[in-house]
């Protein structure tokens, strides 16, 4: 079985999506599975070639981070390039990996519903969507904090190589923290008021000159 992979993160090779995909492919390549190509969708000038590879593929995985409750612009741009071919991709089996810095999986459920509908509109066979929250720390925390998660992605890839399906039980485990238990809310409020929860994000916002707009509400009437 052959697989084509698309990384939709604007960070490209430095992305968390790449780390998760590498863990998945590590397991997948233990089987007879072969990887046709790994594409980075932020290379927009290469989208025409990527579309051709997509159309020629029997199995496709698109991974991307959650952006504004949806997807990054390069992913959307690529999907729009596929629009002229909708209805002629019935042999393409399409799956997704959506990761987020939010620790709760519920933040990704909206885009998951869209991806189900997208697969149907394109005429592809829908493999499923892997949801994983709390991924932003993957590049900064000690290895023991992420080893279990990455092992699950490796097992998911291995099972996919053997069965051609994304194992529903592993997907459910990876997205297990749907919401924080109510008992945790008072503690989270205390941590939030102390500034500890937002320290990393505040630092990133300041580095990107976006700190002053952190409470902006562009869609509010």
């Amino acid at each position: 079985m052959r697989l084509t992979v698309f990384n939709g993160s604007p960070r490209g090779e430095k992305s968390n999506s790449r780390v998760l995909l590498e863990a998945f492919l590590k397991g997948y390549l233990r089987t007879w599975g072969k990887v046709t190509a790994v594409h980075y969708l932020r290379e927009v000038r290469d989208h025409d070639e990527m579309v051709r590879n997509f159309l020629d593929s029997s199995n496709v995985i698109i991974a991307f981070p959650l952006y504004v409750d949806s997807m990054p612009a390069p992913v959307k741009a690529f999907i729009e390039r596929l629009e002229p071919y909708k209805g002629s991709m019935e042999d393409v089996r399409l799956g997704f990996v959506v990761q987020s810095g939010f620790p709760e999986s519920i933040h990704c459920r909206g885009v998951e519903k869209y991806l189900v509908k997208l697969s149907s509109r394109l005429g592809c066979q829908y493999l499923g969507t892997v949801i994983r929250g709390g991924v932003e720390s993957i590049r900064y925390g000690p290895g023991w904090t992420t080893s279990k998660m990455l092992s699950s992605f490796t097992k998911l890839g291995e099972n996919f190589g053997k069965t051609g399906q994304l194992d529903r039980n592993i997907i459910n485990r990876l997205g297990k923290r749907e919401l924080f238990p109510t008992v945790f809310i008072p503690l989270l409020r205390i941590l939030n008021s102390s500034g500890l929860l937002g320290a990393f994000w505040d630092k990133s916002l300041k580095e990107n000159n976006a700190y002053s707009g952190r409470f902006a509400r562009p869609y509010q009437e």
Side-chain angles (χ1 to χ4, degrees), residues 11-70:
R11 292 175 175 172
E13 295 184 359
K14 297 181 179 180
S15 64
N16 298 323
S17 296
R18 180 190 63 79
V19 176
L20 299 185
L21 284 173
E22 285 185 346
F24 179 89
L25 293 177
K26 178 181 177 181
Y28 175 74
L29 292 173
R30 288 175 180 170
T31 69
W32 290 102
K34 304 293 182 184
V35 179
T36 303
V38 177
H39 295 288
Y40 289 91
L41 293 179
R42 75 171 185 170
E43 304 297 336
V44 179
R45 63 182 181 276
D46 296 330
H47 274 192
D48 287 339
E49 178 187 353
M50 294 181 194
V51 167
R52 288 192 292 270
N53 277 300
F54 184 100
L55 298 174
D56 290 339
S57 301
S58 54
N59 297 280
V60 172
I61 297 291
I62 300 177
F64 60 87
L66 184 74
Y67 267 46
V68 197
D69 297 320
S70 187

Side-chain angles (χ1 to χ4, degrees), residues 4-162:
T4 304
V5 176
F6 296 86
N7 183 335
S9 175
R11 292 175 175 172
E13 295 184 359
K14 297 181 179 180
S15 64
N16 298 323
S17 296
R18 180 190 63 79
V19 176
L20 299 185
L21 284 173
E22 285 185 346
F24 179 89
L25 293 177
K26 178 181 177 181
Y28 175 74
L29 292 173
R30 288 175 180 170
T31 69
W32 290 102
K34 304 293 182 184
V35 179
T36 303
V38 177
H39 295 288
Y40 289 91
L41 293 179
R42 75 171 185 170
E43 304 297 336
V44 179
R45 63 182 181 276
D46 296 330
H47 274 192
D48 287 339
E49 178 187 353
M50 294 181 194
V51 167
R52 288 192 292 270
N53 277 300
F54 184 100
L55 298 174
D56 290 339
S57 301
S58 54
N59 297 280
V60 172
I61 297 291
I62 300 177
F64 60 87
L66 184 74
Y67 267 46
V68 197
D69 297 320
S70 187
M71 60 184 64
V75 181
K76 184 63 175 175
F78 179 71
I79 289 171
E80 290 174 351
R81 293 283 188 95
L82 295 172
E83 193 274 339
Y85 306 97
K86 65 180 182 180
S88 62
M89 293 179 277
E90 61 274 4
D91 293 329
V92 179
R93 303 169 71 243
L94 179 58
F96 303 90
V97 175
V98 181
Q99 55 91 1
S100 167
F102 296 114
E104 300 166 299
S105 295
I106 194 171
H107 296 282
C108 298
R109 296 305 177 189
V111 74
E112 179 185 22
K113 292 179 181 179
Y114 167 76
L115 296 174
V116 175
K117 188 176 293 185
L118 170 66
S119 299
S120 176
R121 288 175 174 172
L122 292 176
C124 298
Q125 302 174 48
Y126 178 65
L127 286 169
T129 298
V130 185
I131 300 294
R132 179 65 193 191
V135 177
E136 184 58 30
S137 62
I138 198 171
R139 295 179 299 138
Y140 306 102
W144 62 267
T145 63
T146 58
S147 60
K148 184 177 179 180
M149 173 179 60
L150 295 179
S151 294
S152 293
F153 270 93
T154 299
K155 185 63 176 177
L156 186 70
E158 186 174 1
N159 284 357
F160 181 69
K162 292 177 179 178

Side-chain angles (χ1 to χ4, degrees), residues 205 209-218:
L205 288 169
N209 299 316
Y211 185 76
S212 62
R214 66 193 184 282
F215 297 122
R217 298 180 179 180

Side-chain angles (χ1 to χ4, degrees), residues 102-109 131-134 172-185 188:
F102 296 114
E104 300 166 299
S105 295
I106 194 171
H107 296 282
C108 298
R109 296 305 177 189
I131 300 294
R132 179 65 193 191
N172 289 341
R173 288 202 300 271
L174 284 167
K176 188 174 182 180
R177 186 184 291 154
E178 194 69 20
L179 282 169
F180 274 118
T182 305
V183 68
F184 284 3
I185 302 303
L188 291 172

Side-chain angles (χ1 to χ4, degrees), residues 163-176:
T163 68
Q165 302 296 325
L166 293 175
D167 189 293
R168 192 71 237 174
N169 290 327
I170 298 177
I171 289 177
N172 289 341
R173 288 202 300 271
L174 284 167
K176 188 174 182 180

